[in-house]
Amino acid sequence: MADVVVLGAGVAGHTAALHLKRLLGKEHTVTVVTPNSQWNWIPSNIWVGVGDMPAEKVLFPLADVYRKQKIEYLQAKAVAIHPDGSETDPRPFVDIEYTGQGRAGEPGTVHYDYLINATGPKLRFEATPGMGPGGYTHSVCTADHATHAAHALEASIAKMRAGERQTLVIGMGHGTCTCQGAAFEYVFNVDHTIRQAGVRDLATIVYLTNEAALGDFGVGGMVFDQEGFQTTSELWTKSLFRERGVLAIVGAHVERVEDGVIHYETLDGTKHSLAFDFSMLIPPFGGVGLKAYARDGGDITDTLFAPSGFMKVDADYTPKPYEQWKATDWPSTYEVPGYRNLFAVGIAFAPPHAISKPLKTPNGTAIAPAPPRTGMPSGVTGKAAAITIARRIKNPDAPAEPASMAHMGAACVASAGTGLTKGSAAAMTMLPVVPDYDRYPTGRDVRETRGELGLHGHWVKLMLHYLFLYKAKAKFGWPLIPE
Amino acid sequence: MTDPTAPTAQPLLDVSTAPLPTQRTLKMRRNIPFQLVRFVAFDLRIMRMVLKGHKGDAH
């Protein structure tokens, strides 16, 4: 009998746990360690953040699903990994600290034969003084944050209804942020909500981003094949900003936020201040701060983790200039070097480098969007690690299931407003996620890399909302729903 | 004098040359029968990509 432990129950960890149990059956144990008691379909937090959907619709309790699936569930946060065990205990184990189940604050250990680190990101609001729910801006990164953002937006709309002009600033809270798609979605949902409220003429909406160009999305932008012409996501996105009257500031690093004022630097090195009445800024992500120890107790955190706190896997981490980046630098198996029983998936794995070109201001400030690993790539890498483990439990020499982001495709449906007849979304597909200029002149397959705007995009996003919640609840037929 | 913290005093991106959708395009983006076709087409594209691209070793 083998014990498989999954750290984290986000898209990657939860997908991995469900597939592991499906593949391994009763003979082996699957244990999920997560500090959260609820699963959150994060893409729909955007709708919670504009008050179009209550938080309850994007959350459900994990305990019920794990009980039905016979998956062990520990509401705890992982603190340290001992991949070689200790001098007194030869089995690998993880130090944990309970956050619920009536044992909050209590330490514990979980032994494993195979471990998947899917701990996701730490939301690093502290990287920008004054940013975040503890400061002067809002967030939609959790359902709770999004609910607070919705209340603040409602208050801002009430002021507009009373005739007061409002400036709403939405975007990225640091030069190294990722997840531009979420800010893009939120800005157009806010625009849509304010239009529906009939006060758009009293709102100045500003999109403040670390992307050097609109439509970059942290993936270096896309080239689309549209009606016989190659067009770019930049032109396509600019068109939407012009159409909707949303102002944009690109190549920005937010330095600090004060009550009602955002201070930022742009790529030319100049510094600016922007007054706001309502703001939602996405924070930069970092690893959750897991430590790692050798058998003799020596600290091997720096060996297993990158300085960002994300776990090193089978990627090529050799520092090299942008011009030398290759698709083959990206990991394929998510196996941690030296440990055939240890994997890091989803946001938890350390990318070898960014996808967008990293830039610096003349003052040396990095304005370098980090690469996204959310959504489809999270689910696919989680499933791949689960398949590898299931194979190796039967045959320890079995090869790993590959799932490189330089080969897999992804769909990104960025909502631009809700409503079954009035909604819209920018529906994009890209193949592969990480551009490969050796295989494709534009970096990606132009037949599969497409972008469309319209009501159908909203229907797709709504369908994905119900489909992925259904799948995450492990209801009948869930394995048939792809990642 | 302009308030230096006002949106108009910011280094705003010039999007004035970006193409604007025509009235017909805007109408089609909300035309239910047309959007139903696009919905099916997009879902098929996602499925094709899943089959083609979710195999990590696909070439």
Side-chain angles (χ1 to χ4, degrees):
Chain A
M1 189 185 87
D3 296 314
V4 186
V5 175
V6 181
L7 307 179
V11 172
H14 190 64
T15 302
L18 292 182
H19 279 293
L20 277 164
K21 198 64 198 173
R22 175 179 67 84
L23 294 165
L24 296 173
K26 291 177 190 167
E27 214 181 315
H28 308 283
T29 71
V30 176
T31 304
V32 172
V33 177
T34 175
N36 304 318
S37 62
Q38 305 207 81
W39 195 79
N40 178 200
W41 177 240
I42 294 170
S44 296
N45 285 358
I46 298 298
W47 293 334
V48 177
V50 290
D52 276 344
M53 188 175 267
E56 307 84 75
K57 290 220 171 177
V58 299
L59 299 166
F60 67 81
L62 284 166
D64 295 346
V65 176
Y66 290 152
R67 192 176 54 248
K68 281 181 196 155
Q69 294 298 310
K70 300 193 169 28
I71 292 171
E72 304 292 324
Y73 162 54
L74 302 177
Q75 196 187 335
K77 64 174 182 182
V79 178
I81 302 173
H82 300 258
D84 300 302
S86 69
E87 283 177 340
T88 54
D89 186 354
R91 274 192 86 193
F93 64 94
V94 182
D95 293 329
I96 62 169
E97 183 187 315
Y98 285 89
T99 57
Q101 296 174 320
R103 301 172 72 178
E106 197 179 303
T109 55
V110 190
H111 287 87
Y112 68 84
D113 296 302
Y114 288 90
L115 179 71
I116 296 178
N117 173 14
T119 43
K122 175 179 187 281
L123 305 174
R124 295 180 55 236
F125 290 109
E126 73 281 3
T128 304
M131 177 176 63
Y136 303 106
T137 64
H138 293 277
S139 151
V140 289
C141 294
T142 70
D144 188 42
H145 290 174
T147 303
H148 283 99
H151 292 322
L153 179 63
E154 202 182 329
S156 185
I157 290 172
K159 285 182 185 170
M160 285 186 257
R161 283 196 171 117
E164 195 179 324
R165 280 205 72 83
Q166 296 278 288
T167 299
L168 301 96
V169 182
I170 290 151
M172 314 308 294
H174 194 274
T176 61
C177 280
T178 184
C179 236
Q180 287 80 6
F184 174 90
E185 282 191 89
Y186 193 62
V187 80
F188 286 107
N189 270 271
V190 165
D191 167 71
H192 180 80
T193 303
I194 292 173
R195 280 176 199 276
Q196 296 292 100
V199 288
R200 183 61 179 89
D201 55 329
L202 287 170
T204 301
I205 305 178
V206 183
Y207 180 66
L208 178 66
T209 182
N210 60 342
E211 297 157 281
L214 286 182
D216 180 278
F217 294 118
V219 294
M222 287 161 269
V223 176
F224 299 139
D225 185 353
Q226 219 160 34
E227 292 173 21
F229 289 89
Q230 285 190 353
T231 186
T232 61
S233 53
E234 180 183 1
L235 189 73
W236 190 69
T237 310
K238 267 185 175 177
S239 170
L240 183 62
F241 274 77
R242 185 179 173 202
E243 179 202 330
R244 302 278 282 261
V246 175
L247 307 176
I249 299 167
V250 297
H253 162 73
V254 176
E255 286 182 333
R256 67 182 198 284
V257 184
E258 289 170 357
D259 191 4
V261 187
I262 294 169
H263 301 278
Y264 65 97
E265 180 182 351
T266 46
L267 274 169
D268 60 3
T270 56
K271 302 206 175 189
H272 311 269
S273 300
L274 171 59
F276 68 91
D277 300 293
F278 168 90
S279 178
M280 193 294 290
L281 296 178
I282 302 278
F285 294 169
V288 296
L290 270 174
K291 305 286 283 180
Y293 296 100
R295 177 168 289 197
D296 63 4
D299 191 331
I300 55 168
T301 307
D302 291 347
T303 310
L304 262 61
F305 292 89
S308 56
F310 297 122
M311 199 166 208
K312 290 182 198 166
V313 290
D314 63 317
D316 181 354
Y317 294 107
T318 314
K320 49 182 128 179
Y322 172 76
E323 292 69 26
Q324 291 174 26
W325 289 358
K326 290 275 183 194
T328 47
D329 298 339
W330 284 74
S332 171
T333 67
Y334 305 91
E335 196 175 301
V336 175
Y339 298 95
R340 281 174 64 80
N341 63 343
L342 180 52
F343 303 83
V345 295
I347 295 173
F349 83 81
H353 42 65
I355 300 174
S356 298
K357 188 174 184 176
L359 299 168
K360 267 189 183 174
T361 71
N363 308 317
T365 307
I367 298 188
R373 281 97 80 208
T374 48
M376 272 189 172
S378 276
V380 175
T381 56
K383 183 180 179 183
I387 292 171
T388 303
I389 291 170
R391 277 182 194 157
R392 286 187 181 165
I393 286 174
K394 288 178 190 145
N395 171 14
D397 298 324
E401 173 75 3
S404 169
M405 282 174 62
H407 295 151
M408 76 175 77
C412 174
V413 185
S415 170
T418 56
L420 277 175
T421 57
K422 289 184 175 169
S424 71
M428 294 167 272
T429 53
M430 65 181 103
L431 181 76
V433 178
V434 175
D436 186 343
Y437 293 96
D438 292 334
R439 286 169 64 197
Y440 308 107
T442 64
R444 297 190 179 92
D445 185 341
V446 288
R447 288 164 303 175
E448 304 293 353
T449 304
R450 305 285 289 270
E452 281 182 76
L453 259 169
L455 178 59
H456 76 283
H458 174 68
W459 295 340
V460 173
K461 187 159 166 103
L462 200 61
M463 177 188 74
L464 295 177
H465 167 90
Y466 289 111
L467 214 56
F468 282 108
L469 277 163
Y470 182 91
K471 177 179 172 150
K473 287 176 183 171
K475 291 194 174 178
F476 178 74
W478 71 266
L480 296 172
I481 301 169
E483 279 62 45
Chain B
M1 203 177 106
T2 314
D3 174 4
T5 67
T8 47
Q10 307 302 312
L12 298 172
L13 184 72
D14 179 12
V15 296
S16 62
T17 55
L20 272 178
T22 59
Q23 280 305 314
R24 185 176 180 276
T25 301
L26 289 173
K27 211 172 159 185
M28 291 310 275
R29 283 182 186 167
R30 286 197 175 171
N31 179 286
I32 306 273
F34 180 72
Q35 290 299 313
L36 273 171
V37 173
R38 298 316 307 151
F39 176 74
V40 173
F42 189 80
D43 293 340
L44 289 174
R45 197 183 326 139
I46 294 182
M47 285 312 295
R48 191 172 65 223
M49 207 176 54
V50 165
L51 296 171
K52 192 172 163 183
H54 278 199
K55 291 273 179 205
D57 56 351
H59 279 276

